[in-house]
Amino acid sequence: MDRIRISGGNELHGTIPISGAKNAALPLMIASLLTSDTLTLENVPHLADVEQLLRILGNHGVDVSVNGRRESQAESYSRTINFTCRTIVDTTAPYELVSKMRASFWVIGPLLAREGKARVSLPGGCAIGTRPVDLFLDGLQALGAILEVDAGYINASAPKGGLIGAHYTFPKVSVGATHVMLMAATLARGTTVIDNAAREPEVVDLAKCLTAMGAKISGAGTRTITIEGVASLSGARHRVLPDRIETGTYAMAVAMTGGDVVLEGTQASLLENALDTLRLAGAEITETESGLRVVRNGNRIQPVDIVTEPFPGFPTDLQAQFMALMTMSSGVSHVTETIFENRFMHVQELARLGAKISLSGQMARIEGVSQLKGAPVMATDLRASVSLVIAGLAAEGETIVSRVYHLDRGFERLEEKLTRCGAIVERVSD
Ligand code: UD1
């Protein structure tokens, strides 16, 4: 199993190209199930989760063709991929495939909308909490779906004539359930209003792509999304938006090690809250023509408290990385996690590097230390694993991160991007 070896202590200087967003690419790829025409997605990141979803979509009958490994102009490694689902050949998403990635459960929306039926295994995914699917099921039922749970699968069918538009208010904000409702409602009869919808940029990106495919959607990015159902959708060409979590992660890495890095191809508007927090902590962040410039010189990082919240609040997917940064602040900070109940597994690994963190329920208290020391650590989930990498970059001596398959799910060519900026990071295979 691969591990990542880091010799810490170097500042980061240079340019890091930001990839297409994993969390946008996944629902966009799933949207290809809604049409028999070709959906072309540009800027699709090359990640283990994307490859896994390609297998799942192939199982449903999606033909995939990839246009070149690298895009010619941008220094991005992302690809352009054509998805064509002339007919859905299988409406079952089996356990062996769905258990590897939670987002694959989302196929339930398009399968139901286009074929009127779906049999989808209950999901697996990161071990960061119980992560139920009740909101998906309630939302689809509001559209008239008939659902039953059978041997670990959801059997879903639409009423005769297809799903029916409805007014539904989510009791809690869910990104995935908003994606699924949005996709399902595009082909429903009549108008659907989704209240308390997720406002994440990835929801807006999906809505944009669906609109290009002929869907009638308004309000994406606000709490209320309105969808007027249409009889069918066509193909389209759409560019996946930049990854705000990758952006924030590298910004935090620079804040932690010091240095001066341009994050190319990204936009500040995708993560204002996290950038403002980093500025309070002492990083200088400016928008440039090509993206964002992050600089930190000399001074120690200031302690800042954060609470994770749905967009536009501080993202839970940057919580572990921010905590890593706070381990070297000049005082005491607090991190409160409100989205997932078990997302503090990085705490004990950060402690191995010398961090002083105590936990009380959903809140972590971090007492900054002047220096971390390298150690062997273990990645526990996608975002936690990258927090260990950035802590390792700032630590004195050698850090070895094992179980890096978590990283490969969500960070494209991480070692290469960091190495180009002067970090000493390498992958070692056993
Ligand atoms: C997405 C992101 C993930 C991010 C999360 C929150 C993708 C592929 N993943 O995950 O990186 O951390 O948003 O920003 O885009 N919940 C329920 N019932 C449900 C569904 C969700 O109780 O039916 C709960 C979850 O357990 C969690 C909260 O709602 O506590 C938010 O989860 P949700 O927004 O659905 O996360 P995902 O879409 O799975």
Side-chain angles (χ1 to χ4, degrees), residues 22-24 26-27 102-103 106 128-137 172-177 179 198 200 202 244 310 316-317 338-341 343 382-383:
K22 170 183 89 80
N23 285 355
L26 300 179
R102 181 179 163 87
W106 301 351
I128 54 175
T130 51
R131 302 185 85 177
V133 291
D134 54 319
L135 301 175
F136 293 81
L137 304 186
K172 179 178 185 177
V173 176
S174 162
V175 176
H179 285 320
E200 268 66 2
E202 293 77 19
R244 64 194 165 100
T316 175
D317 285 352
T338 71
I339 309 289
F340 293 109
E341 74 268 27
R343 206 169 207 186
L382 172 54
R383 310 304 178 183

Side-chain angles (χ1 to χ4, degrees), residues 378-401:
M378 198 178 281
T380 49
D381 68 67
L382 172 54
R383 310 304 178 183
S385 56
V386 85
S387 76
L388 301 175
V389 172
I390 65 175
L393 291 174
E396 199 176 80
E398 186 175 272
T399 296
I400 295 191
V401 184

Side-chain angles (χ1 to χ4, degrees), residues 355-369:
K356 287 192 181 160
I357 307 171
S358 55
L359 282 179
S360 165
Q362 295 295 84
M363 189 197 281
R365 177 183 185 276
I366 304 120
E367 197 181 322
V369 296

Side-chain angles (χ1 to χ4, degrees), residues 95-340:
Y95 175 72
E96 305 77 72
L97 294 177
V98 179
S99 58
K100 298 210 173 86
M101 185 181 45
R102 181 179 163 87
S104 50
F105 181 77
W106 301 351
V107 298
I108 194 169
L111 290 176
L112 251 182
R114 185 165 157 196
E115 285 298 296
K117 60 179 183 168
R119 177 171 161 77
V120 181
S121 170
L122 288 161
C126 273
I128 54 175
T130 51
R131 302 185 85 177
V133 291
D134 54 319
L135 301 175
F136 293 81
L137 304 186
D138 287 355
L140 290 172
Q141 270 171 329
L143 298 179
I146 301 136
L147 307 172
E148 54 159 31
V149 182
D150 168 43
Y153 280 76
I154 303 290
N155 287 333
S157 54
K160 256 205 176 117
L163 296 172
I164 306 156
H167 191 139
Y168 180 73
T169 304
F170 278 114
K172 179 178 185 177
V173 176
S174 162
V175 176
T178 303
H179 285 320
V180 166
M181 274 291 270
L182 189 54
M183 288 191 278
T186 56
L187 294 179
R189 284 173 287 156
T191 303
T192 298
V193 178
I194 308 173
D195 262 329
N196 202 23
R199 288 179 282 166
E200 268 66 2
E202 293 77 19
V203 171
V204 178
D205 208 36
L206 175 64
K208 268 190 197 158
C209 178
L210 292 169
T211 303
M213 292 165 72
K216 298 215 165 98
I217 300 169
S218 59
T222 73
R223 282 182 201 284
T224 306
I225 305 179
T226 304
I227 306 117
E228 270 176 56
V230 295
S232 65
L233 294 178
S234 59
R237 190 175 184 94
H238 179 83
R239 185 171 177 84
V240 179
L241 93 174
D243 197 315
R244 64 194 165 100
I245 304 304
E246 192 193 24
T247 305
T249 299
Y250 289 124
M252 285 177 201
V254 179
M256 202 161 179
T257 60
D260 184 346
V261 170
V262 172
L263 305 174
E264 221 173 36
T266 191
Q267 297 151 22
S269 58
L270 300 172
L271 71 165
E272 292 289 5
N273 187 305
L275 296 180
D276 286 346
T277 309
L278 274 177
R279 287 186 182 109
L280 288 175
E284 288 168 36
I285 302 171
T286 43
E287 281 194 76
T288 69
E289 257 176 38
S290 63
L292 287 177
R293 180 171 173 207
V294 184
V295 180
R296 185 173 83 80
N297 298 318
N299 293 344
R300 239 176 117 182
I301 282 292
Q302 299 300 306
V304 183
D305 292 349
I306 58 148
V307 178
T308 63
E309 277 165 349
F311 193 86
F314 190 97
T316 175
D317 285 352
L318 285 174
Q319 180 256 103
Q321 299 89 314
F322 188 73
M323 194 187 291
L325 175 64
M326 287 297 107
T327 62
M328 285 181 64
S329 85
S330 59
V332 172
S333 59
H334 299 88
V335 165
T336 306
E337 172 60 55
T338 71
I339 309 289
F340 293 109

